[in-house]
Amino acid sequence: MEVGSSSSNFKLYDQFELLEYEDSIVDESSSGKPSKTSTIYGVAGTIRLLAGTYVLVITSRKEVGSFLGFPVYRVESMKFLACNEALRFSNSQEQRDEAYFMSLLKTVEATPGLYYSYETDITVNLQRRCKLMEAWTSKPLWKQADPRFVWNKHLLEELIEYKLKLKSSPATFTLLSRRCTRRLGTRMWRRGANLEGDTANFIETEQLLELEGFRCSSLQIRGSIPLLWEQIVDLSYKPQLRIIQHEQTPQVVERHFNDLYQRYGETIAVDLTDKHGDEGQLSAAYAEEMQKLPNVRYVSFDFHHVCGSSNFANLQVLYDKISEVFEKQGYFLIDKDGKILEEQKGIIRSNCIDCLDRTNVTQSYLAQKTLDIQLQRLGVFTSTEYISMFPEDYMKFRTLWAEQGDEISLEYAGTHALKGDLVRYTWDLKSMVCKESDALDLVSGRYTVSKSNPSPFQLNSFESFSYLPVASALLIGGLTLTTFSLQQAARNAQHYVSSVVWAGVTAGAMALVKANGRQFCSRPRLCRLL
C-alpha cells in the first residue's frame, strides 16, 4: 500500500515553463561575473513592501507521494529575492519597518508543511472534481483551484494579473489536508471565528483510496469552535479562555454552518471539549447556539472523560451515537471509466480546543471505519475483515494519520502532536513574540504594506517585548538576594529584616508581573485578533 500525506498546498508555475526563461538564481560580484548559481523549482509569488517587490522562489523540494497518479512535492526551502534597491531612498522609520517586514518574510521562508504539484490541482477533492462541468476543467489550473486552500493565493495575484500561464492488485492510499486561508494564524493568536463565520485552523481532510481502477474519497473537516472567543497568551501556565460577548454571535454561527451546508451537505458537529472549567463554559455556550440551528446535529463528547489519555477504543461510544447518520452520509466512489457509483452526502465536523490532538485521534478513528466499509464494498475484505487485522497495512494507515497530525500541529502550534493536551497550555518564546502570525497576515493579504499608512509598529508598542528581560532580571535578582540574606541570617539576626524586605519586594514584583502578564507578551502587530 503506497502512502502519502500533505497538510497545506499552494499553486505555482510549471517548473519547465519557468526554467524556459531562467533556470538559476545568479549572484553577481562587483566585476559583473556570476559568483553563485542555484537551481529554482518554481515561483510561488511576489509581494510588495515599502522598498519594492520581492519574489518568492522554491530552492529545494522533495517528492513525497502522488495524488490521482501525479507526483506531489513538499517544499524543503524557499527564498525571497529583492527585485530592486529602493530601500536606500527610504527614511529611517521606513528602513526600520522594512527590516521587520523582512524578518517576517524570513519566517515565511521556513514555513513547514507546504505541498504542490506541477501537473494537477491538489486543492479540489475528488468528488467535487468529478462533478465539475467540462468547461470548468478546461480552464487553467489556477482558475480551477479552491481559493480557500491556496496558501500563496495573495502572493500570486500580480503574476495572475499579468496573464502568465500555469501548466496536471496494490492499493494507493493518500491523505490530503487542505488548510483554509480565510482565518490563518497561530494558536492563541487565532481562536474561534471572525464576524464572517470563518474559523481558525479550519482544515478539510480527504482520504483517497485507489484500487484496481476504482477511486474512493471521503472527507472530514475540523475547525475552531465557531464563536467569538480568545485565549490571550500571558505568563500563566494556563491562559484563560474568554468568550467575547457580541450581538452578532448567533449570525456568526449561522453563517459558518450555512457555508458548510452549501459545500458539504448535512453536517454533524462533534464537540470533543471538556465539560468543566473554562472549556466547559465555552462548550456550553457552543451547545446553546447550536440549539438555534435545527438543520445541524450537535454531538457533545467529553474526550478526556471517556477516553482518558490512551483508551482510544472508547471512541466506539461516540461512533455508536453517530454511526447511522455517518454511514448514511457515505463516501464518493467512481469506477475505472469515471462513472460515479456513490456520493458523499454530508460531513463530520470535529473540534476540540486547538483542533489538534483529540481531533486527530477522533478523525483517524472515523477514517478507519470508512476505510473498512470501502474495502468491503470493493471486495477486498469480507464483511468480517477489517484493516486492523492486517498489521503491516494497519501500521501504514496509523503512521500516515500520525504524521498528518504532526504536520497540522507544527503549522498551527509550532509543536508535534501529542496524545495528551499538555502542549495546549504551554507557552513558549515563539508564542510570545508571535512573528509567525504577523508573517501569515502579511503573505495572505490580510495586511497590505503601504507608505501612506502609519507604521503599525509605532501604533502597537513596537518595543513592548523588551520589558520581559527587565522583569525577569528583577525577579531573579530578588530571589538571589532573598536567598543570600536568609543564609546570612543564621549568623546575624539583623539579616532577618533584610530577608523579609527582599522577600516582600520579590513577591510584589511577581504579583505585578503576573497581573500584567499580557503586557509582557507581544501581540500580533499587523492585524486585530478578530
PDB file of all heavy atoms in Angstrom, residues 142-158:
ATOM      1  N   TRP A 142      -5.038  27.485 -12.162  1.00  0.00           N
ATOM      2  CA  TRP A 142      -5.214  28.490 -11.122  1.00  0.00           C
ATOM      3  C   TRP A 142      -6.661  28.967 -11.034  1.00  0.00           C
ATOM      4  O   TRP A 142      -7.105  29.441  -9.984  1.00  0.00           O
ATOM      5  CB  TRP A 142      -4.262  29.672 -11.327  1.00  0.00           C
ATOM      6  CG  TRP A 142      -4.474  30.496 -12.560  1.00  0.00           C
ATOM      7  CD1 TRP A 142      -3.887  30.340 -13.767  1.00  0.00           C
ATOM      8  CD2 TRP A 142      -5.332  31.639 -12.689  1.00  0.00           C
ATOM      9  NE1 TRP A 142      -4.311  31.296 -14.648  1.00  0.00           N
ATOM     10  CE2 TRP A 142      -5.200  32.119 -14.014  1.00  0.00           C
ATOM     11  CE3 TRP A 142      -6.192  32.307 -11.821  1.00  0.00           C
ATOM     12  CZ2 TRP A 142      -5.891  33.220 -14.485  1.00  0.00           C
ATOM     13  CZ3 TRP A 142      -6.893  33.412 -12.283  1.00  0.00           C
ATOM     14  CH2 TRP A 142      -6.741  33.861 -13.604  1.00  0.00           C
ATOM     15  N   LYS A 143      -7.423  28.819 -12.138  1.00  0.00           N
ATOM     16  CA  LYS A 143      -8.837  29.184 -12.100  1.00  0.00           C
ATOM     17  C   LYS A 143      -9.696  28.057 -11.525  1.00  0.00           C
ATOM     18  O   LYS A 143     -10.775  28.289 -10.996  1.00  0.00           O
ATOM     19  CB  LYS A 143      -9.331  29.541 -13.505  1.00  0.00           C
ATOM     20  CG  LYS A 143      -8.817  30.879 -14.009  1.00  0.00           C
ATOM     21  CD  LYS A 143      -9.499  31.271 -15.317  1.00  0.00           C
ATOM     22  CE  LYS A 143      -9.068  32.653 -15.760  1.00  0.00           C
ATOM     23  NZ  LYS A 143      -9.732  33.070 -17.017  1.00  0.00           N
ATOM     24  N   GLN A 144      -9.222  26.816 -11.622  1.00  0.00           N
ATOM     25  CA  GLN A 144      -9.963  25.683 -11.063  1.00  0.00           C
ATOM     26  C   GLN A 144      -9.769  25.564  -9.557  1.00  0.00           C
ATOM     27  O   GLN A 144     -10.606  25.012  -8.853  1.00  0.00           O
ATOM     28  CB  GLN A 144      -9.492  24.379 -11.713  1.00  0.00           C
ATOM     29  CG  GLN A 144      -9.704  24.278 -13.210  1.00  0.00           C
ATOM     30  CD  GLN A 144      -9.188  22.976 -13.759  1.00  0.00           C
ATOM     31  OE1 GLN A 144      -9.286  21.927 -13.117  1.00  0.00           O
ATOM     32  NE2 GLN A 144      -8.616  23.014 -14.945  1.00  0.00           N
ATOM     33  N   ALA A 145      -8.663  26.065  -9.039  1.00  0.00           N
ATOM     34  CA  ALA A 145      -8.282  25.834  -7.645  1.00  0.00           C
ATOM     35  C   ALA A 145      -9.303  26.413  -6.675  1.00  0.00           C
ATOM     36  O   ALA A 145      -9.928  27.448  -6.933  1.00  0.00           O
ATOM     37  CB  ALA A 145      -6.908  26.444  -7.383  1.00  0.00           C
ATOM     38  N   ASP A 146      -9.473  25.725  -5.543  1.00  0.00           N
ATOM     39  CA  ASP A 146     -10.321  26.221  -4.460  1.00  0.00           C
ATOM     40  C   ASP A 146      -9.504  27.244  -3.673  1.00  0.00           C
ATOM     41  O   ASP A 146      -8.528  26.887  -3.001  1.00  0.00           O
ATOM     42  CB  ASP A 146     -10.720  25.064  -3.547  1.00  0.00           C
ATOM     43  CG  ASP A 146     -11.778  25.468  -2.525  1.00  0.00           C
ATOM     44  OD1 ASP A 146     -11.802  26.659  -2.142  1.00  0.00           O
ATOM     45  OD2 ASP A 146     -12.558  24.603  -2.097  1.00  0.00           O
ATOM     46  N   PRO A 147      -9.865  28.527  -3.737  1.00  0.00           N
ATOM     47  CA  PRO A 147      -9.024  29.565  -3.117  1.00  0.00           C
ATOM     48  C   PRO A 147      -8.884  29.420  -1.610  1.00  0.00           C
ATOM     49  O   PRO A 147      -7.944  29.954  -1.027  1.00  0.00           O
ATOM     50  CB  PRO A 147      -9.747  30.871  -3.486  1.00  0.00           C
ATOM     51  CG  PRO A 147     -11.158  30.470  -3.775  1.00  0.00           C
ATOM     52  CD  PRO A 147     -11.067  29.093  -4.370  1.00  0.00           C
ATOM     53  N   ARG A 148      -9.813  28.683  -0.963  1.00  0.00           N
ATOM     54  CA  ARG A 148      -9.708  28.511   0.496  1.00  0.00           C
ATOM     55  C   ARG A 148      -8.437  27.789   0.889  1.00  0.00           C
ATOM     56  O   ARG A 148      -7.931  27.967   2.000  1.00  0.00           O
ATOM     57  CB  ARG A 148     -10.898  27.717   1.027  1.00  0.00           C
ATOM     58  CG  ARG A 148     -12.246  28.396   0.882  1.00  0.00           C
ATOM     59  CD  ARG A 148     -13.329  27.489   1.435  1.00  0.00           C
ATOM     60  NE  ARG A 148     -13.369  26.212   0.742  1.00  0.00           N
ATOM     61  CZ  ARG A 148     -13.867  25.092   1.267  1.00  0.00           C
ATOM     62  NH1 ARG A 148     -14.337  25.088   2.493  1.00  0.00           N
ATOM     63  NH2 ARG A 148     -13.895  23.969   0.564  1.00  0.00           N
ATOM     64  N   PHE A 149      -7.909  26.945  -0.004  1.00  0.00           N
ATOM     65  CA  PHE A 149      -6.787  26.094   0.350  1.00  0.00           C
ATOM     66  C   PHE A 149      -5.505  26.443  -0.415  1.00  0.00           C
ATOM     67  O   PHE A 149      -4.571  25.660  -0.435  1.00  0.00           O
ATOM     68  CB  PHE A 149      -7.160  24.628   0.098  1.00  0.00           C
ATOM     69  CG  PHE A 149      -8.419  24.211   0.793  1.00  0.00           C
ATOM     70  CD1 PHE A 149      -9.489  23.672   0.069  1.00  0.00           C
ATOM     71  CD2 PHE A 149      -8.561  24.353   2.149  1.00  0.00           C
ATOM     72  CE1 PHE A 149     -10.657  23.288   0.708  1.00  0.00           C
ATOM     73  CE2 PHE A 149      -9.720  23.975   2.799  1.00  0.00           C
ATOM     74  CZ  PHE A 149     -10.774  23.443   2.078  1.00  0.00           C
ATOM     75  N   VAL A 150      -5.483  27.600  -1.060  1.00  0.00           N
ATOM     76  CA  VAL A 150      -4.281  28.032  -1.769  1.00  0.00           C
ATOM     77  C   VAL A 150      -3.496  28.947  -0.838  1.00  0.00           C
ATOM     78  O   VAL A 150      -3.849  30.115  -0.648  1.00  0.00           O
ATOM     79  CB  VAL A 150      -4.622  28.760  -3.078  1.00  0.00           C
ATOM     80  CG1 VAL A 150      -3.347  29.190  -3.803  1.00  0.00           C
ATOM     81  CG2 VAL A 150      -5.449  27.849  -3.982  1.00  0.00           C
ATOM     82  N   TRP A 151      -2.438  28.430  -0.254  1.00  0.00           N
ATOM     83  CA  TRP A 151      -1.659  29.151   0.754  1.00  0.00           C
ATOM     84  C   TRP A 151      -1.107  30.451   0.205  1.00  0.00           C
ATOM     85  O   TRP A 151      -1.075  31.472   0.886  1.00  0.00           O
ATOM     86  CB  TRP A 151      -0.523  28.249   1.247  1.00  0.00           C
ATOM     87  CG  TRP A 151       0.391  28.874   2.247  1.00  0.00           C
ATOM     88  CD1 TRP A 151       0.214  28.946   3.596  1.00  0.00           C
ATOM     89  CD2 TRP A 151       1.643  29.524   1.973  1.00  0.00           C
ATOM     90  NE1 TRP A 151       1.271  29.594   4.176  1.00  0.00           N
ATOM     91  CE2 TRP A 151       2.160  29.961   3.202  1.00  0.00           C
ATOM     92  CE3 TRP A 151       2.365  29.769   0.795  1.00  0.00           C
ATOM     93  CZ2 TRP A 151       3.385  30.625   3.298  1.00  0.00           C
ATOM     94  CZ3 TRP A 151       3.573  30.441   0.887  1.00  0.00           C
ATOM     95  CH2 TRP A 151       4.072  30.855   2.130  1.00  0.00           C
ATOM     96  N   ASN A 152      -0.643  30.442  -1.032  1.00  0.00           N
ATOM     97  CA  ASN A 152       0.012  31.619  -1.604  1.00  0.00           C
ATOM     98  C   ASN A 152      -0.893  32.381  -2.572  1.00  0.00           C
ATOM     99  O   ASN A 152      -0.411  33.026  -3.507  1.00  0.00           O
ATOM    100  CB  ASN A 152       1.306  31.221  -2.309  1.00  0.00           C
ATOM    101  CG  ASN A 152       1.061  30.206  -3.415  1.00  0.00           C
ATOM    102  OD1 ASN A 152       0.131  29.412  -3.335  1.00  0.00           O
ATOM    103  ND2 ASN A 152       1.883  30.215  -4.442  1.00  0.00           N
ATOM    104  N   LYS A 153      -2.208  32.314  -2.361  1.00  0.00           N
ATOM    105  CA  LYS A 153      -3.152  32.984  -3.263  1.00  0.00           C
ATOM    106  C   LYS A 153      -2.836  34.472  -3.405  1.00  0.00           C
ATOM    107  O   LYS A 153      -2.804  35.009  -4.505  1.00  0.00           O
ATOM    108  CB  LYS A 153      -4.579  32.794  -2.740  1.00  0.00           C
ATOM    109  CG  LYS A 153      -5.650  33.532  -3.539  1.00  0.00           C
ATOM    110  CD  LYS A 153      -7.026  33.263  -2.967  1.00  0.00           C
ATOM    111  CE  LYS A 153      -8.097  34.018  -3.734  1.00  0.00           C
ATOM    112  NZ  LYS A 153      -7.989  35.490  -3.537  1.00  0.00           N
ATOM    113  N   HIS A 154      -2.620  35.135  -2.283  1.00  0.00           N
ATOM    114  CA  HIS A 154      -2.334  36.571  -2.339  1.00  0.00           C
ATOM    115  C   HIS A 154      -1.024  36.844  -3.074  1.00  0.00           C
ATOM    116  O   HIS A 154      -0.921  37.821  -3.841  1.00  0.00           O
ATOM    117  CB  HIS A 154      -2.266  37.133  -0.918  1.00  0.00           C
ATOM    118  CG  HIS A 154      -1.838  38.564  -0.851  1.00  0.00           C
ATOM    119  ND1 HIS A 154      -2.595  39.603  -1.331  1.00  0.00           N
ATOM    120  CD2 HIS A 154      -0.694  39.134  -0.363  1.00  0.00           C
ATOM    121  CE1 HIS A 154      -1.962  40.740  -1.146  1.00  0.00           C
ATOM    122  NE2 HIS A 154      -0.806  40.494  -0.567  1.00  0.00           N
ATOM    123  N   LEU A 155      -0.032  35.985  -2.862  1.00  0.00           N
ATOM    124  CA  LEU A 155       1.272  36.195  -3.497  1.00  0.00           C
ATOM    125  C   LEU A 155       1.212  36.023  -5.010  1.00  0.00           C
ATOM    126  O   LEU A 155       2.064  36.548  -5.739  1.00  0.00           O
ATOM    127  CB  LEU A 155       2.304  35.226  -2.916  1.00  0.00           C
ATOM    128  CG  LEU A 155       2.549  35.316  -1.410  1.00  0.00           C
ATOM    129  CD1 LEU A 155       3.591  34.290  -0.993  1.00  0.00           C
ATOM    130  CD2 LEU A 155       2.996  36.717  -1.013  1.00  0.00           C
ATOM    131  N   LEU A 156       0.207  35.296  -5.503  1.00  0.00           N
ATOM    132  CA  LEU A 156       0.108  35.031  -6.937  1.00  0.00           C
ATOM    133  C   LEU A 156      -0.663  36.104  -7.703  1.00  0.00           C
ATOM    134  O   LEU A 156      -0.684  36.092  -8.933  1.00  0.00           O
ATOM    135  CB  LEU A 156      -0.587  33.680  -7.169  1.00  0.00           C
ATOM    136  CG  LEU A 156       0.234  32.422  -6.875  1.00  0.00           C
ATOM    137  CD1 LEU A 156      -0.636  31.189  -7.018  1.00  0.00           C
ATOM    138  CD2 LEU A 156       1.420  32.339  -7.825  1.00  0.00           C
ATOM    139  N   GLU A 157      -1.301  37.017  -6.979  1.00  0.00           N
ATOM    140  CA  GLU A 157      -2.228  37.940  -7.649  1.00  0.00           C
ATOM    141  C   GLU A 157      -1.566  38.757  -8.746  1.00  0.00           C
ATOM    142  O   GLU A 157      -2.122  38.943  -9.818  1.00  0.00           O
ATOM    143  CB  GLU A 157      -2.883  38.850  -6.605  1.00  0.00           C
ATOM    144  CG  GLU A 157      -3.924  38.117  -5.768  1.00  0.00           C
ATOM    145  CD  GLU A 157      -4.601  39.012  -4.758  1.00  0.00           C
ATOM    146  OE1 GLU A 157      -4.186  40.186  -4.621  1.00  0.00           O
ATOM    147  OE2 GLU A 157      -5.541  38.539  -4.104  1.00  0.00           O
ATOM    148  N   GLU A 158      -0.367  39.283  -8.485  1.00  0.00           N
ATOM    149  CA  GLU A 158       0.295  40.077  -9.515  1.00  0.00           C
ATOM    150  C   GLU A 158       0.659  39.238 -10.722  1.00  0.00           C
ATOM    151  O   GLU A 158       0.528  39.670 -11.863  1.00  0.00           O
ATOM    152  CB  GLU A 158       1.551  40.750  -8.946  1.00  0.00           C
ATOM    153  CG  GLU A 158       1.260  42.029  -8.205  1.00  0.00           C
ATOM    154  CD  GLU A 158       2.482  42.910  -8.084  1.00  0.00           C
ATOM    155  OE1 GLU A 158       3.514  42.576  -8.706  1.00  0.00           O
ATOM    156  OE2 GLU A 158       2.402  43.934  -7.397  1.00  0.00           O
TER     157      GLU A 158
END
